[in-house]
Amino acid sequence: MEEQMTATQLEDTCRKSHHPEHVKKDLTTRLNRIEGQIRGIKGMIEKDVYCDDVITQLSATQSALNSVAKLLLEGHVKGCVVDRLAEGDDAVIDELLITMQKLMKK
């Protein structure tokens, strides 16, 4: 039977990004806001709020998530991808294309 990794073990085996503190703070603030939006949507469902109003909130939340993804992608390209290319790691291009395809599916 396979054992699941603890968070610490997973952290030790994963590659890490190197976002400046102000970027991490901005991303965390945005994600906290999104988390609040999700809780609000859940409350709307529980209170039987009109479907169109819930859908409007879902759309706003999706837009906020897309903004986080765009910021992360920008940092990834300008940092991780550039660094790996400079090290001669051309495989990062295929990885980037796969990541972009995942984002475009949504």
Side-chain angles (χ1 to χ4, degrees):
M1 176 166 61
E2 289 184 29
E3 294 181 34
Q4 287 192 353
M5 285 194 216
T6 66
T8 304
Q9 289 170 321
L10 187 59
E11 189 175 306
D12 290 341
T13 62
C14 292
R15 293 174 292 185
K16 296 185 184 224
S17 61
H18 303 284
H19 301 290
E21 279 305 312
H22 73 279
V23 172
K24 282 198 253 188
K25 185 175 180 178
D26 181 36
L27 291 170
T28 300
T29 299
R30 288 169 183 260
L31 290 169
N32 286 338
R33 195 173 307 127
I34 291 166
E35 187 177 21
Q37 287 177 293
I38 296 293
R39 281 194 303 271
I41 293 167
K42 182 180 175 189
M44 293 172 79
I45 298 291
E46 291 168 349
K47 293 174 186 167
D48 295 321
V49 171
Y50 187 61
C51 297
D52 189 57
D53 295 335
V54 176
I55 291 168
T56 298
Q57 290 305 311
L58 285 168
S59 177
T61 303
Q62 185 62 57
S63 178
L65 281 170
N66 288 342
S67 292
V68 169
K70 287 176 192 175
L71 284 173
L72 282 169
L73 182 60
E74 179 182 348
H76 181 58
V77 170
K78 289 180 176 179
C80 303
V81 173
V82 168
D83 292 347
R84 286 178 59 190
L85 284 172
E87 294 168 0
D89 184 0
D90 293 339
V92 71
I93 297 295
D94 291 330
E95 177 187 277
L96 178 61
L97 290 172
I98 290 168
T99 298
M100 291 174 64
Q101 288 170 355
K102 289 176 187 175
L103 283 173
M104 291 160 108
K105 280 186 195 177
K106 301 183 183 345

